[in-house]
Amino acid sequence: MLRLLCVLVVSAVFADRATYYNYQVRRVVPENQEQLKVLNDLEAEPNGLYFWVRPSRIQKAVDIMVPPHMLPFFSEIAEGLNLKSEIYISNVQHLIDTERPKVRPTADFGWTDYHTLDEIYAWLDSLVETHPGVVTSIVGGQSYEDRQIKGVKVSFKAGNPVIILEGGIHAAEWISSATVTYILNKLLTSEDPVIADLAQSFDYYVFPNVNPDGYVYSHTTDRLWRKTRRPVGNGCYGADPNRNWDFHWMEAGASSDPCTDYYAGEYAFSENETRSLAEYFKSISDNLVGYLDFHSYSQLLMFPYGHTAEHVSNYDELLALGLEGAAALARNNGTQYKVGSIYEAIYPASGSSLDWVRGNLGAPYAYVWELRDTGRYGFLLPANQIIDTGEETLNSVIVILQEAKRNLQGNTKR
Ligand SMILES: [Zn+2]
């Protein structure tokens, strides 16, 4: 009887998994105000369309996932507007099915496959064992479903200036968490003297999964889930945790509709995850010099602000250093990044963790990466690109940390 029950439960779980057979991702580039307005209107009431990259301005590409039954509707609108659309992904489910290796590697944590939340948390625990006196377990906050926002602190000597690494705030962006763990591992194990020196020069607070409920849900139920998992009304779930921080909340690029993917929440810090994490960040902010946040996709390296086109006080330095970082990133594989403030480089977006950290805690080196790729895989970057992504991204992180270190020593380069 028990066995039968188990079989039933397992099949129920699989039956409830979201599928995306023959969903396409179409790229359109608005060329005039009319086209942009229609895209903005569509995004405000998407009715089943899912904007992977939102409309922002003329000549800026928009990626829209279109369910098969809506393809005629979508084509009609595009034709009516004389808006050319290109098929970037012809079958989203195919990418979901081939994203991960057929046989899961079992030997060690590795970076050849994406990991579940439990696997990542167990690996973090193992670091405390393997690096005694250097790695300690920390809890940055609590989720709606009562999971810990687990992290580790890496400290080779007391009193170092503080760097925060954050990943996974958007659940679907698995490459974010994978890249954060990749960089963490290198800080602890690399024999490269440059990396070892940087590891010893700062205290690192590392959180690979700051939206744990969403991340679990993206593994068990809906691969493309982005938000938190709190019921928010109208039968919908979750706020966008990167629009929910209490800094110019809801001023730009966020939605008040609970059913959209950019829902900012009922009020700033309505989400347990952002509220508790902000408290934790405050508690470690005395000597905070860097905040490095990882998202996907689009290949952008950005800095504050997102709510305004006005420049942050050290804009020129952040831009120049960002360009140096992007050049270092391109060194291994030629991966090209664009650099700028969030507002300029991607779209106006307020209430992000990056803006809050910079605006409230003053971290001078605050950067956010939109990792690979530029849309052929989008959120579904194959696991066999994790290591190359981690390695090239680390190159840019090194450039930024080296400059932060030089600056702290009062030996500024520019
Ligand atoms: Zn994101």
Side-chain angles (χ1 to χ4, degrees), residues 5 42 51 56 59 83 108 166 202 250 328 374:
L5 202 64
L42 269 180
F51 284 71
S56 56
Q59 295 303 344
L83 183 63
D108 56 6
E166 181 197 296
F202 297 97
M250 265 301 278
T374 51

Side-chain angles (χ1 to χ4, degrees), residues 46-69:
N47 291 318
L49 298 175
Y50 180 171
F51 284 71
W52 284 23
V53 175
R54 314 181 65 190
S56 56
R57 53 179 73 99
I58 289 168
Q59 295 303 344
K60 173 97 176 35
V62 180
D63 290 351
I64 309 168
M65 183 171 75
V66 187
H69 71 275

Side-chain angles (χ1 to χ4, degrees), residues 315-384:
Y315 177 96
D316 292 345
E317 185 195 9
L318 289 179
L319 177 61
L321 182 57
L323 289 167
E324 262 182 62
L329 192 152
R331 205 167 55 221
N332 288 10
N333 313 293
T335 311
Q336 297 298 314
Y337 270 57
K338 290 203 176 85
V339 181
S341 76
I342 294 180
Y343 192 97
E344 295 164 345
I346 185 164
Y347 40 55
S350 64
S352 69
S353 60
L354 186 83
D355 275 11
W356 184 88
V357 167
R358 174 59 196 245
N360 282 277
L361 307 182
Y365 298 96
Y367 282 99
V368 57
W369 283 252
E370 291 282 353
L371 298 168
R372 289 189 191 189
D373 61 1
T374 51
R376 291 297 172 182
Y377 293 100
F379 300 119
L380 303 168
L381 192 73
N384 63 16

Side-chain angles (χ1 to χ4, degrees), residues 166-234:
E166 181 197 296
I169 199 167
H170 289 141
E173 300 163 9
W174 287 3
I175 189 62
S176 160
S177 307
T179 301
V180 170
T181 57
Y182 186 90
I183 293 169
L184 169 59
N185 183 56
K186 286 288 173 173
L187 286 171
L188 289 168
T189 62
S190 177
E191 287 172 3
D192 179 335
V194 171
I195 298 173
D197 173 65
L198 290 173
Q200 294 181 19
S201 302
F202 297 97
D203 281 358
Y204 296 87
Y205 292 78
V206 186
F207 297 100
N209 293 94
V210 301
N211 176 9
D213 297 350
Y215 190 72
V216 167
Y217 195 76
S218 74
H219 275 264
T220 59
T221 312
D222 184 350
R223 174 64 190 87
L224 295 173
W225 190 258
R226 170 184 175 90
K227 302 191 285 180
T228 59
R229 286 296 304 161
R230 187 174 60 84
V232 287
N234 300 348

Side-chain angles (χ1 to χ4, degrees), residues 244-263:
N244 189 239
W245 295 65
D246 191 10
F247 186 75
H248 296 272
W249 178 80
M250 265 301 278
E251 285 182 15
S255 169
S256 56
D257 176 349
C259 296
T260 64
D261 279 304
Y262 298 86
Y263 176 49

